[in-house]
Amino acid sequence: MTKEIDPATVTDGFHLVVDALKLNGIDTIYGVAGIPITDLARLAHAEGLKYIGFRHEQAAGNAAAIAGYLTQKPGICLTVSAPGFLNGMLALANATTNCFPMILISGSSNRAIVDLEQGDYEELDQLNAARPYAKAAYRVNNPEDIGTGIARAIHAALSGRPGGVYLDLTADVLSAVIERQAAANSLVKVIDPAPRQIPAPESITRALDLLAEAQRPLIILGKGAAYAQADAAIRGFIETTGIPFLPMSMAKGLLPDNHPQSAASARSLAIGQADVVMLIGARLNWLLSHGKGKTWSPSTRFVQVDISPTEIDSNRPIAAPVIGDIASVMAAFAAALKPGRIKPNTAWVDALSATKQKNAERMAQRLNADPSPMNFSSALRAVRNALANRPDVYIVNEGANTLDFARNIIDMYQPRQRLDSGTWGIMGVGMGYAIAAAVVSGKPVVAIEGDSAFGFSGMEIETICRYRLPVITLVFNNNGIYRGDTDGKSPSPTGFVTNARYDKLIEAFGGAGYHVTDTPSLTKALSDALEAAKPALINVVIDPSAGTESGHIQNLNPKRAVAH
Ligand code: ADP
Ligand code: TZD
Ligand code: MG
């Protein structure tokens, strides 16, 4: 017996998902269409949501994750079942690792068949596959639960330490019919999904007491501080106290890199000699040598500002933990701070300045050399010159040498405009991050990519061309992973086709390709491309012998115990 469907009185799961997203201020979906979510993408598009269709779910997921980081709203990635879902999972895991809020929504096959492993089309127990890599994972089994499922996913993604949430929508739920009134009643508009977490007053006093005792204090800003969008309060605290600061890579620009208190070019001295280090939204993970080893002093004491209480004491004992959201914490510090009570020792500030000066001169020398073919320093000088008057530009950066050199050479002047390989040192985020940065901000994006790094998401240049995004991709082409050398048995494990013309790839899709072999042409190509603000790819020919194995983290490579 088939029931009569009257669109005036009933709706379905597809419509409910779109309604629930819209009700909660979600305006963009990044995805790849197919069974069973094609109509969800179509409907979202028709109903005024921005739908950005990708060539691979991993890139769509990376786009959603970085959109979440930039906007403090969960980025949405939409995929098909099993393989599409798994392609998106890498991005979800990366988002969780980096504390970016995102929601991966995947359609799934028939539960009854999947659970009995009867071999359904794209069969996979997606909910359980997602769990270990997600901050939270939910499945919606009834159409009247769609509103609740999306509300819970938003709360989980945004509250506390942000992360990646998986939301499983079965094909049955999407096509299920539900009375309009019941559907409307089932929607949930989330209230305050990222509630302020006010720090305990005694934690503020404890931290300020410790900082007041310090002779050689240092503040380390992480991407949690950038995410928090408490830019003025953070800058105010740093400038009022006069404490030198060090930005982690994605916190560059939170205060401008040319700020007089930046200790970035005296990093080793700052870390090695500081007596009190205040971490603001930065973990003491591998990127800070776990706070241990010869780079750190064993007597350094720590203040750590973080929203996650379990982060405390994870690597080094923390003398003054301050648990709260960074905006509330910085407001509490500002209220409690007595003028002149915290003051770094003059000798400390002078020592850092002297080292900065010395290192800046060394860096200038390296940058001024003009070898042919170009090396990383000379090419990045050319890039820096083209970017000199464009503080509006977003920078995406991945690779090994390309990442390490660009992080040091390309200064940032505004918050949240540097997006890179992050906590995992992951390759493949480039085009997804670039697309989302352009979509979210409407600003030009320059993606500085190693040739290997680019390859992981390179097909998305079609997406960039299709949506006519102002993304300019620089492929630092040294013929391979780390460098273009061979081991005599070509092709070597790390080498690529030599002298590849990546610029021709984008021409296939109507974008502008440039091939440059010297610094003046690189500056000109990038300036022209920025002026045009259209999709472009610049093939930057770098000396194949210029890179070093693993860039600056060669120490992490296990050593062969036996040579042959
Ligand atoms: P980086 O890689 O830049 O050093 P991490 O990703 O290691 O930064 O650290 C980010 C930290 O920021 C995480 O420990 C996370 O819990 C914290 N965090 C994220 N958002 C906030 C916030 N709004 N308030 C406080 N801490 C936050
Ligand atoms: N796969 C993934 C997903 N992430 C990784 N980090 C790696 C592999 C290993 N890897 C690095 O850590 S850097 C890198 C790889 C493959 C590429 C380095 O080559 P590149 O950069 O061309 O991008 P340079 O400038 O040649 O060093
Ligand atoms: Mg390379």
Side-chain angles (χ1 to χ4, degrees), residues 8 41-42 61 184 293 304 326 358 361-362 368 391 395 419 424 431 434 472 492 506 527 538 549 551:
R42 276 207 196 98
Q304 183 161 24
I326 286 166
K358 202 174 69 206
E361 281 160 17
R362 256 194 237 151
N368 283 335
I395 300 291
L419 312 169
W424 262 349
M431 297 299 102
I472 299 153
S492 80
I506 199 164
S527 305
I538 308 179
E549 175 111 356

Side-chain angles (χ1 to χ4, degrees), residues 58 90 376 398-403 424-428 449-454 456 476 478 480-483 496 547-548 550-551 553:
Q58 190 181 113
L90 185 283
F376 290 97
E398 58 176 345
N401 295 278
T402 304
L403 177 78
W424 262 349
I426 193 172
M427 299 298 115
E449 302 271 309
D451 50 347
S452 165
F454 171 70
F456 287 79
F476 273 48
N478 62 350
I481 298 177
Y482 311 136
R483 49 193 285 141
F496 296 155
T548 54
S550 304
I553 51 171

